[in-house]
Amino acid sequence: MSTREKRFFIHYLPLVAIFTYCFIFHAVTILFPPCVNIFQYNLPLCGRPLCYYELRFVALWDTITNNILPTLAIILFSIALLIRVLLQKHRMHQQLQWKKHRKMTIQLLSISILYFVLYIPPMFVELMQQCSVSEDFGADFQLEAQFFSYYVICFFPFISAMSLPKRKFQFKKLFSCWRGRTQTVAPETLGMARLRQAQQSTVVCNLQATLAIQNIDYRKNKS
């Protein structure tokens, strides 16, 4: 298999397949559902659950395949990447320098913690409700967790920006209220320095003039 074929099957084909699957699944279940969705606008989540959740197989498929498995994959592969770097350093008998890998470590662990805390709990509660537990179990928690799960989208760009170079300079552009520590020079200190320099120049000029006058007088007396 050539390099171009490997690139296609490893990099491009999975992305195209995932995009196509997501588009078809959500187009069928949301845009053209096999049932009628009922929206109650007096509720915090007016359209949840959607009508296809009445079909147990479709609801389980959506919860496990579209929610739980991708989240677990992000968490596990992030940790696996960090472990792979550590094992590779150990295998090559190289000393691990945390200063060089600090950004990567903080970024991967932050992503894993973010998804694990905000995504995993409501997903497992929803899975338990679909299996055998009553829908009243964790209803209040499920309602609050649905809103907190949106913070993943808000926090993820900032976590990704940790690995970018010169991020402090870029953050200063984004947040104009952020000002770093600057050294201030008092005007009195600068004025005193200039005055001292002028006094030294005056003293040097006076010495040169005195030496020149003495040299002239010496020549006159000698002649």
Side-chain angles (χ1 to χ4, degrees):
M1 186 179 293
S2 62
T3 306
R4 182 177 298 179
E5 293 177 351
K6 288 182 179 180
R7 188 184 301 114
F8 174 77
F9 284 104
I10 295 177
H11 295 280
Y12 298 109
L13 185 60
L15 295 176
V16 174
I18 293 173
F19 177 79
T20 306
Y21 163 74
C22 293
F23 178 79
I24 294 175
F25 179 83
H26 291 94
V28 173
T29 56
I30 297 178
L31 297 180
F32 306 101
C35 51
V36 179
N37 290 315
I38 299 175
F39 299 95
Q40 298 180 4
Y41 297 101
N42 58 342
L43 298 178
L45 299 175
C46 60
R48 188 175 180 84
L50 296 174
C51 64
Y52 71 85
Y53 268 71
E54 298 177 358
L55 305 174
R56 186 175 181 182
F57 173 76
V58 180
L60 288 174
W61 176 269
D62 183 31
T63 303
I64 297 174
T65 307
N66 300 337
N67 296 330
I68 295 179
L69 289 182
T71 305
L72 290 177
I74 293 173
I75 296 173
L76 294 177
F77 282 112
S78 298
I79 298 175
L81 178 60
L82 181 60
I83 296 175
R84 179 178 179 273
V85 173
L86 297 178
L87 292 178
Q88 186 177 6
K89 292 290 183 180
H90 179 72
R91 192 182 302 112
M92 299 178 65
H93 302 286
Q94 295 181 356
Q95 185 179 3
L96 184 63
Q97 299 180 0
W98 286 106
K99 291 183 179 181
K100 294 183 178 180
H101 300 87
R102 181 176 56 186
K103 293 181 181 179
M104 181 190 68
T105 304
I106 295 175
Q107 183 182 14
L108 294 177
L109 292 179
S110 300
I111 291 174
S112 301
I113 294 173
L114 186 67
Y115 276 87
F116 184 80
V117 172
L118 297 181
Y119 270 175
I120 292 297
M123 290 179 183
F124 276 99
V125 171
E126 185 176 358
L127 180 62
M128 294 172 63
Q129 291 175 352
Q130 294 173 2
C131 292
S132 58
V133 183
S134 174
E135 294 183 357
D136 296 333
F137 173 76
D140 296 334
F141 170 77
Q142 185 75 5
L143 181 62
E144 299 293 336
Q146 290 294 333
F147 287 100
F148 279 104
S149 62
Y150 291 107
Y151 283 97
V152 176
I153 303 175
C154 299
F155 291 150
F156 194 84
F158 296 97
I159 295 177
S160 301
M162 291 181 180
S163 60
L164 297 177
K166 299 180 181 179
R167 63 181 184 277
K168 291 184 179 180
F169 178 75
Q170 294 174 357
F171 283 162
K172 286 182 180 180
K173 288 184 177 180
L174 293 176
F175 303 103
S176 59
C177 59
W178 182 11
R179 293 290 183 271
R181 297 179 61 183
T182 57
Q183 297 181 355
T184 58
V185 180
E188 292 81 9
T189 305
L190 184 60
M192 291 297 295
R194 291 180 178 177
L195 179 61
R196 194 175 295 111
Q197 185 179 2
Q199 291 176 351
Q200 292 176 357
S201 300
T202 305
V203 170
V204 172
C205 292
N206 292 334
L207 289 175
Q208 291 179 354
T210 303
L211 291 175
I213 294 172
Q214 290 178 356
N215 191 14
I216 294 173
D217 295 338
Y218 175 78
R219 288 181 181 179
K220 288 182 179 179
N221 295 329
K222 187 177 180 181
S223 59

